Amino acid sequence: MAEIIQEEKGKKGGKKRAKKFSTHIDMTPMVDLMCLLITFFMLTTAFSKSKVMVITMPEKDQKDQPKDQPKIPAWRTLNILLTDNDAVYYYIGQADPRKPPLPTLTKTDFSKNGIRKVLLDKNRDLFTQIVTFRDKRRSGKLVVADTTADQEIKKMKKDDTKGPIVLIKADDKAKYKDIVDIIDEMAICNIASYAIVDIQPAELEMLKTAPK
Amino acid sequence: MPKIKPPARSPRVDMTPMVDLFSVLLIFLLLTASFRPQEAAIISSPYSVSEKQAPDHDIMTIIIDKSGKVFFNIDNGRDTTTHTRINVLTEMAKQYQVNFTKKELQDFGNLASFGMPMANMKKWLDVPETKDKEKFQVGIPTDSVDGRASELAMWIRFSRLANVNTEVAIKGDGETNYKVVKKVMDMLQANRVNKFNLVTNLEKQEVTLKDLPK
């Protein structure tokens, strides 16, 4: 009530004039609301789509087909064995129980100086070739389309005769992450040929006696 | 001399341009939004350097969680009028002698990943609440029973038949045992799938010539 009286006083009985309304509307609540909505949509939108790593497995041989496996020189074969606790073992050549002694396993890990060093060392030529090619493209010395570059790199990989042929074998204790990591290393080191194959009984034996 | 007073200014800021901007942003987000579908399990994918994007359409996803439970998802295809999901479920229903009503089939067409034995599928579809649905997600059986192919193998086969262009994505948790993944991969290979898309998170790693060991 007091307020009303006060207002009456303020007018001092002057001429009555229509009160001027400002044409401005206060937008602040609207902005608040919009902010909220935008935040909500930003958070719920699947903005970054997940990435995929493509791997092509060798076709399983059917029983009625004769086994015709390509001959791989033993010195090029790099066997990587994966087992529990993210351990990585590797050996070069072939483990044939009929032809003892079995090769010894070397233990390494997924760190920068672990398996990557081994792979890079083995794949020196091809790696240098591909990285120089990519650097040339990046620095602008060489201008080719993406698809052409991909084909070029594919051809380099195909023509490579010195790099390792990596056979990835994991036992039942290995984690899925290990497999993804090792395939990732193949991509990082530009290994031309690699495959995931089943682990052999002889290799399981070797893992048992391998250094911990 | 009296000081010159600057004209009194209202402290108000004109919000109109801001509102305009926000409206544009909001409309953009609304139009581009594709809502994250409810996943059957929480998966933390491993990291890789791969920058290839997962395909939007024609993809069947096999989700393997930490404990080795397997879930399955297939999209409706590029042309959603083909109703791939409904076709697959109809085939599965024939195989396992389960009758679904039209509404159940329709519901299945709109849902995402699932993982339960066929026997529980009907119950899962009939429960209206999303929260109640969760407890049915126990994983698809991967073992063959009485010499018959496992349910997962059947899902894969019918999905391949329903949409020949389907690619396969495997979304596994990093801590999953490789044994389970291998089993799934073998099953896929038995169905003539030799190309897998392993779902990963991007993590850049740069290796240069300097990293070559001496």
Side-chain angles (χ1 to χ4, degrees):
Chain A
M1 281 299 184
E3 285 167 31
I4 297 169
I5 297 163
Q6 255 185 351
E7 233 171 81
E8 294 280 302
K9 256 187 198 170
K11 282 187 177 174
K12 282 180 185 174
K15 252 189 188 176
K16 270 190 183 173
R17 204 176 270 173
K19 207 181 170 191
K20 250 194 184 175
F21 283 104
S22 155
T23 46
H24 279 276
I25 308 165
D26 189 11
M27 295 271 194
T28 329
M30 193 166 166
V31 172
D32 289 356
L33 184 75
M34 291 245 184
C35 268
L36 260 179
L37 278 174
I38 286 176
T39 326
F40 169 74
F41 278 109
M42 291 257 235
L43 293 180
T44 49
T45 313
F47 217 59
S48 64
K49 270 204 334 187
S50 50
K51 304 280 189 281
V52 290
M53 190 168 78
V54 180
I55 172 158
T56 313
M57 300 276 267
E59 202 155 320
K60 282 258 156 96
D61 7 302
Q62 307 291 319
K63 275 189 184 116
D64 46 304
Q65 277 170 8
K67 276 196 177 177
D68 185 27
Q69 286 192 333
K71 285 261 180 278
I72 310 166
W75 60 270
R76 277 184 74 183
T77 326
L78 177 67
N79 297 267
I80 296 177
L81 306 183
L82 304 169
T83 181
D84 56 349
N85 295 327
D86 299 337
V88 187
Y89 294 93
Y90 68 89
Y91 72 89
I92 290 155
Q94 223 177 359
D96 195 341
R98 284 163 298 178
K99 277 185 255 164
L102 290 172
T104 45
L105 293 176
T106 319
K107 194 186 174 191
T108 176
D109 52 29
F110 281 111
S111 72
K112 224 177 158 185
N113 289 321
I115 191 73
R116 190 177 299 172
K117 216 167 190 174
V118 180
L119 287 169
L120 283 178
D121 189 36
K122 289 242 149 224
N123 202 31
R124 193 176 289 269
D125 285 357
L126 182 65
F127 182 78
T128 320
Q129 218 177 332
I130 290 178
V131 169
T132 343
F133 179 73
R134 282 206 186 122
D135 281 350
K136 254 193 214 163
R137 275 196 77 208
R138 204 174 295 162
S139 60
K141 272 183 208 154
L142 192 72
V143 183
V144 281
D146 278 357
T147 42
T148 326
D150 285 347
Q151 269 170 19
E152 200 77 13
I153 288 171
K154 228 180 223 171
K155 195 174 170 293
M156 280 181 210
K157 283 188 177 171
K158 212 178 150 196
D159 294 344
D160 175 62
T161 50
K162 283 184 221 151
I165 292 155
V166 183
L167 299 178
I168 301 160
K169 301 163 189 189
D171 74 354
D172 286 348
K173 282 177 277 180
K175 293 271 177 344
Y176 172 64
K177 187 181 70 200
D178 300 337
I179 284 284
V180 172
D181 279 348
I182 202 78
I183 300 170
D184 204 30
E185 286 300 322
M186 300 297 136
I188 293 170
C189 300
N190 293 309
I191 301 286
S193 42
Y194 58 89
I196 300 176
V197 289
D198 293 341
I199 196 158
Q200 257 125 57
E203 281 157 341
L204 284 175
E205 282 303 314
M206 282 156 65
L207 273 179
K208 267 181 208 161
T209 53
K212 282 276 170 278
Chain B
M1 246 177 96
K3 270 185 186 166
I4 302 166
K5 266 191 187 168
R9 275 202 189 173
S10 143
R12 289 218 179 159
V13 186
D14 189 10
M15 293 277 191
T16 328
M18 194 162 163
V19 171
D20 289 355
L21 181 74
F22 277 179
S23 309
V24 168
L25 268 177
L26 191 63
I27 291 167
F28 168 75
L29 283 173
L30 263 175
L31 292 180
T32 55
S34 59
F35 287 95
R36 225 170 258 177
Q38 180 102 36
E39 286 282 338
I42 299 157
I43 303 289
S44 57
S45 305
Y47 290 89
S48 87
V49 292
S50 176
E51 281 178 37
K52 195 175 178 284
Q53 294 249 323
D56 268 334
H57 304 286
D58 297 334
I59 185 134
M60 75 166 110
T61 316
I62 296 171
I63 302 155
I64 308 170
D65 83 346
K66 224 187 262 183
S67 57
K69 280 187 223 157
V70 181
F71 306 93
F72 192 81
N73 192 12
I74 180 169
D75 73 321
N76 269 319
R78 195 170 294 276
D79 180 7
T80 41
T81 52
T82 50
H83 300 299
T84 313
R85 282 178 74 97
I86 296 175
N87 293 343
V88 173
L89 187 65
T90 318
E91 287 299 317
M92 280 301 280
K94 265 188 227 155
Q95 182 75 23
Y96 288 94
Q97 271 126 42
V98 189
N99 286 315
F100 291 109
T101 61
K102 209 160 183 199
K103 191 187 166 289
E104 281 164 348
L105 285 172
Q106 211 72 47
D107 281 349
F108 182 78
N110 297 327
L111 285 162
S113 52
F114 58 92
M116 72 279 306
M118 266 312 269
N120 286 340
M121 177 63 88
K122 207 176 165 68
K123 278 188 214 152
W124 177 65
L125 288 172
D126 286 342
V127 172
E129 290 289 320
T130 328
K131 224 173 174 182
D132 297 329
K133 275 186 197 287
E134 269 171 33
K135 64 172 185 274
F136 287 102
Q137 306 269 27
V138 290
I140 298 175
T142 50
D143 289 313
S144 51
V145 185
D146 304 330
R148 288 204 325 190
S150 69
E151 285 191 18
L152 181 64
M154 290 319 265
W155 279 111
I156 295 167
R157 186 167 308 162
F158 287 129
S159 305
R160 292 275 286 166
L161 289 174
N163 183 357
V164 277
N165 297 324
T166 314
E167 281 195 48
V168 176
I170 295 177
K171 187 174 182 180
D173 194 290
E175 295 300 316
T176 316
N177 223 316
Y178 176 61
K179 204 166 123 187
V180 189
V181 183
K182 192 175 151 41
K183 197 174 182 181
V184 171
M185 280 185 172
D186 284 345
M187 219 175 270
L188 286 163
Q189 288 209 292
N191 282 296
R192 298 293 175 93
V193 182
N194 288 316
K195 190 183 155 208
F196 306 110
N197 296 291
L198 305 181
V199 177
T200 55
N201 288 324
L202 181 64
E203 181 191 47
K204 282 248 177 201
Q205 283 203 37
E206 201 63 29
V207 178
T208 54
L209 287 179
K210 278 178 227 143
D211 292 303
L212 269 177
K214 296 280 165 317

